[in-house]
CSV table of all heavy atoms in Angstrom, one decimal:
chain,number,residue,atom,x,y,z
A,119,PHE,N,-2.3,7.2,-3.8
A,119,PHE,CA,-3.3,7.8,-4.6
A,119,PHE,C,-4.7,7.5,-3.9
A,119,PHE,O,-4.9,6.4,-3.4
A,119,PHE,CB,-3.3,7.1,-6.0
A,119,PHE,CG,-4.4,7.7,-6.9
A,119,PHE,CD1,-4.5,9.1,-7.1
A,119,PHE,CD2,-5.3,6.9,-7.5
A,119,PHE,CE1,-5.5,9.6,-8.0
A,119,PHE,CE2,-6.3,7.4,-8.3
A,119,PHE,CZ,-6.4,8.7,-8.6
A,120,GLN,N,-5.5,8.5,-3.9
A,120,GLN,CA,-6.8,8.4,-3.2
A,120,GLN,C,-7.9,9.0,-4.2
A,120,GLN,O,-7.5,10.0,-4.9
A,120,GLN,CB,-6.9,9.1,-1.9
A,120,GLN,CG,-5.9,8.7,-0.9
A,120,GLN,CD,-4.5,9.3,-1.1
A,120,GLN,OE1,-4.5,10.5,-1.6
A,120,GLN,NE2,-3.5,8.6,-0.7
A,121,LYS,N,-9.1,8.5,-4.1
A,121,LYS,CA,-10.2,9.2,-4.8
A,121,LYS,C,-11.6,8.8,-4.2
A,121,LYS,O,-11.7,7.8,-3.5
A,121,LYS,CB,-10.1,8.7,-6.3
A,121,LYS,CG,-10.3,7.3,-6.6
A,121,LYS,CD,-10.1,7.0,-8.1
A,121,LYS,CE,-10.2,5.5,-8.4
A,121,LYS,NZ,-10.2,5.3,-9.9
A,122,VAL,N,-12.5,9.7,-4.5
A,122,VAL,CA,-13.9,9.4,-4.1
A,122,VAL,C,-14.6,8.6,-5.3
A,122,VAL,O,-14.5,9.0,-6.4
A,122,VAL,CB,-14.7,10.8,-3.9
A,122,VAL,CG1,-16.1,10.5,-3.6
A,122,VAL,CG2,-14.0,11.5,-2.8
A,123,VAL,N,-15.3,7.5,-4.9
A,123,VAL,CA,-15.8,6.6,-5.9
A,123,VAL,C,-17.1,6.0,-5.5
A,123,VAL,O,-17.5,6.0,-4.3
A,123,VAL,CB,-14.8,5.4,-6.1
A,123,VAL,CG1,-13.4,5.9,-6.5
A,123,VAL,CG2,-14.6,4.6,-4.8
A,124,ALA,N,-17.8,5.4,-6.5
A,124,ALA,CA,-18.9,4.6,-6.3
A,124,ALA,C,-18.4,3.2,-6.0
A,124,ALA,O,-17.3,2.8,-6.3
A,124,ALA,CB,-19.8,4.6,-7.5
A,125,PRO,N,-19.3,2.3,-5.4
A,125,PRO,CA,-18.8,0.9,-5.2
A,125,PRO,C,-18.3,0.2,-6.4
A,125,PRO,O,-18.7,0.5,-7.5
A,125,PRO,CB,-20.1,0.2,-4.6
A,125,PRO,CG,-20.9,1.4,-4.0
A,125,PRO,CD,-20.6,2.5,-4.9
A,126,ASN,N,-17.3,-0.7,-6.2
A,126,ASN,CA,-16.7,-1.5,-7.2
A,126,ASN,C,-15.8,-0.8,-8.2
A,126,ASN,O,-15.3,-1.4,-9.1
A,126,ASN,CB,-17.8,-2.2,-8.1
A,126,ASN,CG,-18.7,-3.1,-7.2
A,126,ASN,OD1,-18.2,-3.9,-6.4
A,126,ASN,ND2,-20.0,-2.9,-7.3
A,127,THR,N,-15.4,0.5,-7.9
A,127,THR,CA,-14.5,1.2,-8.8
A,127,THR,C,-13.1,0.8,-8.5
A,127,THR,O,-12.7,0.8,-7.3
A,127,THR,CB,-14.7,2.7,-8.5
A,127,THR,OG1,-16.0,3.1,-8.7
A,127,THR,CG2,-13.7,3.5,-9.4
A,128,PRO,N,-12.3,0.4,-9.5
A,128,PRO,CA,-10.9,0.0,-9.3
A,128,PRO,C,-10.0,1.2,-9.1
A,128,PRO,O,-10.4,2.3,-9.4
A,128,PRO,CB,-10.6,-0.7,-10.6
A,128,PRO,CG,-11.5,-0.2,-11.6
A,128,PRO,CD,-12.8,0.2,-10.9
A,129,ILE,N,-8.9,1.0,-8.4
A,129,ILE,CA,-7.9,2.0,-8.2
A,129,ILE,C,-6.5,1.3,-8.5
A,129,ILE,O,-6.3,0.2,-8.2
A,129,ILE,CB,-7.9,2.5,-6.8
A,129,ILE,CG1,-6.9,3.7,-6.6
A,129,ILE,CG2,-7.7,1.4,-5.8
A,129,ILE,CD1,-7.1,4.5,-5.3
A,130,ASP,N,-5.7,2.1,-9.2
A,130,ASP,CA,-4.3,1.6,-9.4
A,130,ASP,C,-3.4,2.2,-8.3
A,130,ASP,O,-3.3,3.4,-8.2
A,130,ASP,CB,-3.8,2.1,-10.8
A,130,ASP,CG,-4.5,1.4,-11.9
A,130,ASP,OD1,-4.9,0.2,-11.8
A,130,ASP,OD2,-4.8,2.1,-12.9
A,131,ILE,N,-2.8,1.3,-7.5
A,131,ILE,CA,-1.9,1.8,-6.4
A,131,ILE,C,-0.5,1.8,-7.0
A,131,ILE,O,0.0,0.7,-7.3
A,131,ILE,CB,-2.0,0.8,-5.2
A,131,ILE,CG1,-3.5,0.7,-4.7
A,131,ILE,CG2,-1.1,1.3,-4.1
A,131,ILE,CD1,-4.1,2.0,-4.2
A,132,PRO,N,0.1,2.9,-7.1
A,132,PRO,CA,1.5,3.0,-7.5
A,132,PRO,C,2.5,2.5,-6.5
A,132,PRO,O,2.2,2.6,-5.3
A,132,PRO,CB,1.7,4.5,-7.8
A,132,PRO,CG,0.8,5.2,-6.9
A,132,PRO,CD,-0.4,4.3,-6.7
A,133,MET,N,3.5,1.8,-6.9
A,133,MET,CA,4.5,1.3,-6.0
A,133,MET,C,5.9,1.7,-6.4
A,133,MET,O,6.2,1.9,-7.6
A,133,MET,CB,4.4,-0.3,-5.9
A,133,MET,CG,3.1,-0.7,-5.4
A,133,MET,SD,2.8,-2.5,-5.7
A,133,MET,CE,4.0,-3.2,-4.7
A,134,ASN,N,6.8,1.8,-5.4
A,134,ASN,CA,8.2,2.1,-5.7
A,134,ASN,C,9.1,1.4,-4.6
A,134,ASN,O,8.5,0.9,-3.6
A,134,ASN,CB,8.5,3.7,-5.6
A,134,ASN,CG,8.0,4.3,-4.4
A,134,ASN,OD1,6.9,4.8,-4.3
A,134,ASN,ND2,8.9,4.4,-3.3
A,135,HIS,N,10.4,1.4,-4.8
A,135,HIS,CA,11.3,0.8,-3.9
A,135,HIS,C,11.2,1.4,-2.5
A,135,HIS,O,11.0,2.6,-2.4
A,135,HIS,CB,12.7,0.9,-4.4
A,135,HIS,CG,13.7,0.0,-3.7
A,135,HIS,ND1,14.3,0.3,-2.5
A,135,HIS,CD2,14.2,-1.2,-4.1
A,135,HIS,CE1,15.1,-0.6,-2.1
A,135,HIS,NE2,15.1,-1.6,-3.1
A,136,LYS,N,11.2,0.6,-1.5
A,136,LYS,CA,11.0,1.1,-0.1
A,136,LYS,C,12.1,1.9,0.5
A,136,LYS,O,11.9,2.7,1.4
A,136,LYS,CB,10.6,-0.1,0.8
A,136,LYS,CG,11.8,-0.9,1.2
A,136,LYS,CD,11.3,-2.0,2.2
A,136,LYS,CE,12.4,-2.9,2.7
A,136,LYS,NZ,13.3,-2.3,3.7
A,137,ASP,N,13.3,1.8,-0.1
A,137,ASP,CA,14.4,2.5,0.5
A,137,ASP,C,15.0,3.6,-0.4
A,137,ASP,O,15.8,4.5,0.0
A,137,ASP,CB,15.5,1.6,0.9
A,137,ASP,CG,15.1,0.7,2.1
A,137,ASP,OD1,14.6,1.3,3.1
A,137,ASP,OD2,15.3,-0.5,2.0
A,138,GLU,N,14.7,3.6,-1.7
A,138,GLU,CA,15.2,4.6,-2.6
A,138,GLU,C,14.3,4.7,-3.8
A,138,GLU,O,14.1,3.8,-4.6
A,138,GLU,CB,16.6,4.1,-3.1
A,138,GLU,CG,17.2,4.9,-4.2
A,138,GLU,CD,17.3,6.4,-3.9
A,138,GLU,OE1,18.1,6.8,-3.0
A,138,GLU,OE2,16.7,7.2,-4.5
A,139,VAL,N,13.7,5.9,-3.9
A,139,VAL,CA,12.6,6.1,-4.9
A,139,VAL,C,13.1,6.0,-6.4
A,139,VAL,O,12.4,5.7,-7.3
A,139,VAL,CB,11.9,7.4,-4.7
A,139,VAL,CG1,12.8,8.6,-5.1
A,139,VAL,CG2,10.6,7.5,-5.3
A,140,TYR,N,14.4,6.1,-6.6
A,140,TYR,CA,14.9,6.1,-8.0
A,140,TYR,C,15.4,4.7,-8.5
A,140,TYR,O,16.1,4.6,-9.5
A,140,TYR,CB,16.1,7.1,-8.1
A,140,TYR,CG,15.6,8.5,-7.9
A,140,TYR,CD1,16.0,9.2,-6.7
A,140,TYR,CD2,14.8,9.1,-8.8
A,140,TYR,CE1,15.6,10.5,-6.5
A,140,TYR,CE2,14.3,10.4,-8.5
A,140,TYR,CZ,14.7,11.1,-7.4
A,140,TYR,OH,14.3,12.4,-7.1
A,141,VAL,N,14.9,3.7,-7.9
A,141,VAL,CA,15.1,2.3,-8.4
A,141,VAL,C,14.0,2.0,-9.4
A,141,VAL,O,12.9,1.6,-9.1
A,141,VAL,CB,15.1,1.3,-7.3
A,141,VAL,CG1,15.4,-0.1,-7.8
A,141,VAL,CG2,16.2,1.6,-6.2
A,142,ARG,N,14.4,2.3,-10.7
A,142,ARG,CA,13.3,2.2,-11.8
A,142,ARG,C,12.7,0.8,-11.9
A,142,ARG,O,11.5,0.7,-12.3
A,142,ARG,CB,14.0,2.6,-13.1
A,142,ARG,CG,14.4,4.0,-13.2
A,142,ARG,CD,15.0,4.2,-14.6
A,142,ARG,NE,15.8,5.5,-14.5
A,142,ARG,CZ,16.9,5.7,-15.3
A,142,ARG,NH1,17.3,4.7,-16.1
A,142,ARG,NH2,17.5,6.8,-15.2
A,143,SER,N,13.4,-0.2,-11.6
A,143,SER,CA,12.9,-1.6,-11.8
A,143,SER,C,11.7,-1.9,-10.9
A,143,SER,O,10.9,-2.8,-11.1
A,143,SER,CB,14.0,-2.6,-11.5
A,143,SER,OG,14.5,-2.5,-10.2
A,144,HIS,N,11.6,-1.1,-9.8
A,144,HIS,CA,10.5,-1.3,-8.8
A,144,HIS,C,9.3,-0.3,-9.0
A,144,HIS,O,8.4,-0.3,-8.2
A,144,HIS,CB,11.1,-1.1,-7.4
A,144,HIS,CG,12.0,-2.3,-7.0
A,144,HIS,ND1,13.1,-2.7,-7.8
A,144,HIS,CD2,11.9,-3.2,-6.0
A,144,HIS,CE1,13.6,-3.8,-7.2
A,144,HIS,NE2,12.9,-4.1,-6.1
A,145,TYR,N,9.3,0.5,-10.1
A,145,TYR,CA,8.1,1.3,-10.4
A,145,TYR,C,7.1,0.3,-11.0
A,145,TYR,O,7.2,-0.3,-12.0
A,145,TYR,CB,8.4,2.3,-11.5
A,145,TYR,CG,9.4,3.4,-11.1
A,145,TYR,CD1,10.0,4.2,-12.0
A,145,TYR,CD2,9.7,3.6,-9.7
A,145,TYR,CE1,10.9,5.2,-11.7
A,145,TYR,CE2,10.6,4.6,-9.4
A,145,TYR,CZ,11.2,5.4,-10.4
A,145,TYR,OH,12.1,6.4,-10.0
A,146,ASP,N,6.1,0.1,-10.2
A,146,ASP,CA,5.1,-0.9,-10.5
A,146,ASP,C,3.8,-0.5,-9.9
A,146,ASP,O,3.6,0.6,-9.4
A,146,ASP,CB,5.5,-2.3,-10.0
A,146,ASP,CG,4.9,-3.5,-10.8
A,146,ASP,OD1,4.0,-3.3,-11.6
A,146,ASP,OD2,5.3,-4.6,-10.5
A,147,GLY,N,2.8,-1.5,-9.7
A,147,GLY,CA,1.6,-1.2,-9.1
A,147,GLY,C,0.7,-2.4,-9.0
A,147,GLY,O,1.0,-3.4,-9.5
A,148,MET,N,-0.4,-2.2,-8.3
A,148,MET,CA,-1.5,-3.2,-8.2
A,148,MET,C,-2.8,-2.5,-8.5
A,148,MET,O,-3.0,-1.4,-8.0
A,148,MET,CB,-1.5,-3.9,-6.9
A,148,MET,CG,-0.3,-4.8,-6.6
A,148,MET,SD,-0.5,-5.6,-5.0
A,148,MET,CE,-1.7,-6.9,-5.4
A,149,THR,N,-3.7,-3.2,-9.2
A,149,THR,CA,-5.1,-2.7,-9.4
A,149,THR,C,-6.0,-3.4,-8.4
A,149,THR,O,-6.0,-4.6,-8.4
A,149,THR,CB,-5.5,-2.9,-10.8
A,149,THR,OG1,-4.6,-2.2,-11.7
A,149,THR,CG2,-6.9,-2.4,-11.1
A,150,ILE,N,-6.7,-2.6,-7.6
A,150,ILE,CA,-7.5,-3.2,-6.6
A,150,ILE,C,-8.9,-2.7,-6.7
A,150,ILE,O,-9.1,-1.5,-7.0
A,150,ILE,CB,-7.0,-2.8,-5.2
A,150,ILE,CG1,-5.5,-3.2,-5.0
A,150,ILE,CG2,-7.9,-3.3,-4.1
A,150,ILE,CD1,-5.3,-4.7,-4.9
A,151,ALA,N,-9.9,-3.5,-6.5
A,151,ALA,CA,-11.3,-3.1,-6.4
A,151,ALA,C,-11.9,-3.8,-5.2
A,151,ALA,O,-11.6,-4.9,-4.9
A,151,ALA,CB,-12.1,-3.5,-7.7
A,152,VAL,N,-12.8,-3.1,-4.5
A,152,VAL,CA,-13.5,-3.6,-3.3
A,152,VAL,C,-14.8,-4.1,-3.8
A,152,VAL,O,-15.7,-3.2,-4.1
A,152,VAL,CB,-13.6,-2.5,-2.2
A,152,VAL,CG1,-14.3,-3.1,-1.0
A,152,VAL,CG2,-12.2,-2.1,-1.8
A,153,PRO,N,-15.1,-5.4,-3.7
A,153,PRO,CA,-16.5,-5.9,-4.1
A,153,PRO,C,-17.5,-5.2,-3.3
A,153,PRO,O,-17.4,-5.2,-2.0
A,153,PRO,CB,-16.4,-7.4,-3.9
A,153,PRO,CG,-14.9,-7.7,-3.9
A,153,PRO,CD,-14.2,-6.5,-3.4
A,154,ASN,N,-18.5,-4.6,-3.9
A,154,ASN,CA,-19.6,-4.0,-3.2
A,154,ASN,C,-19.2,-2.9,-2.3
A,154,ASN,O,-19.8,-2.6,-1.3
A,154,ASN,CB,-20.5,-5.0,-2.5
A,154,ASN,CG,-21.1,-6.0,-3.5
A,154,ASN,OD1,-21.6,-5.7,-4.5
A,154,ASN,ND2,-20.9,-7.3,-3.1
A,155,GLY,N,-18.1,-2.2,-2.5
A,155,GLY,CA,-17.6,-1.2,-1.7
A,155,GLY,C,-16.6,-0.3,-2.4
A,155,GLY,O,-16.2,-0.6,-3.5
A,156,PRO,N,-16.3,0.8,-1.7
A,156,PRO,CA,-16.8,1.2,-0.5
A,156,PRO,C,-18.2,1.8,-0.6
A,156,PRO,O,-18.6,2.4,-1.6
A,156,PRO,CB,-15.9,2.3,0.0
A,156,PRO,CG,-15.3,2.9,-1.3
A,156,PRO,CD,-15.3,1.8,-2.3
A,157,ARG,N,-19.0,1.5,0.4
A,157,ARG,CA,-20.4,2.1,0.5
A,157,ARG,C,-20.2,3.6,0.7
A,157,ARG,O,-19.1,4.1,1.0
A,157,ARG,CB,-21.2,1.5,1.6
A,157,ARG,CG,-21.5,0.1,1.4
A,157,ARG,CD,-22.2,-0.5,2.6
A,157,ARG,NE,-22.5,-1.9,2.4
A,157,ARG,CZ,-22.8,-2.7,3.4
A,157,ARG,NH1,-22.8,-2.3,4.6
A,157,ARG,NH2,-23.0,-4.0,3.1
A,158,ALA,N,-21.3,4.4,0.6
A,158,ALA,CA,-21.2,5.8,0.7
A,158,ALA,C,-20.6,6.3,2.0
A,158,ALA,O,-19.9,7.3,2.0
A,158,ALA,CB,-22.6,6.4,0.5
A,159,ASP,N,-20.8,5.5,3.0
A,159,ASP,CA,-20.3,6.0,4.4
A,159,ASP,C,-19.1,5.2,4.8
A,159,ASP,O,-18.8,5.0,5.9
A,159,ASP,CB,-21.4,5.8,5.4
A,159,ASP,CG,-21.7,4.3,5.7
A,159,ASP,OD1,-21.5,3.4,4.8
A,159,ASP,OD2,-22.2,4.0,6.8
A,160,GLU,N,-18.3,4.8,3.8
A,160,GLU,CA,-17.1,4.0,4.1
A,160,GLU,C,-15.8,4.6,3.4
A,160,GLU,O,-15.9,5.4,2.5
A,160,GLU,CB,-17.2,2.5,3.6
A,160,GLU,CG,-18.2,1.7,4.3
A,160,GLU,CD,-18.4,0.3,3.8
A,160,GLU,OE1,-18.1,0.1,2.6
A,160,GLU,OE2,-18.9,-0.5,4.6
Side-chain angles (χ1 to χ4, degrees):
F119 182 55
Q120 304 81 30
K121 60 184 181 176
V122 176
V123 299
N126 302 306
T127 302
I129 186 170
D130 293 324
I131 305 296
M133 296 167 66
N134 57 268
H135 194 278
K136 74 178 182 74
D137 291 313
E138 173 56 67
V139 73
Y140 296 109
V141 180
R142 295 180 195 149
S143 59
H144 287 59
Y145 296 162
D146 203 354
M148 289 184 77
T149 301
I150 304 294
V152 177
N154 302 312
R157 294 177 181 159
D159 69 338
E160 292 179 334

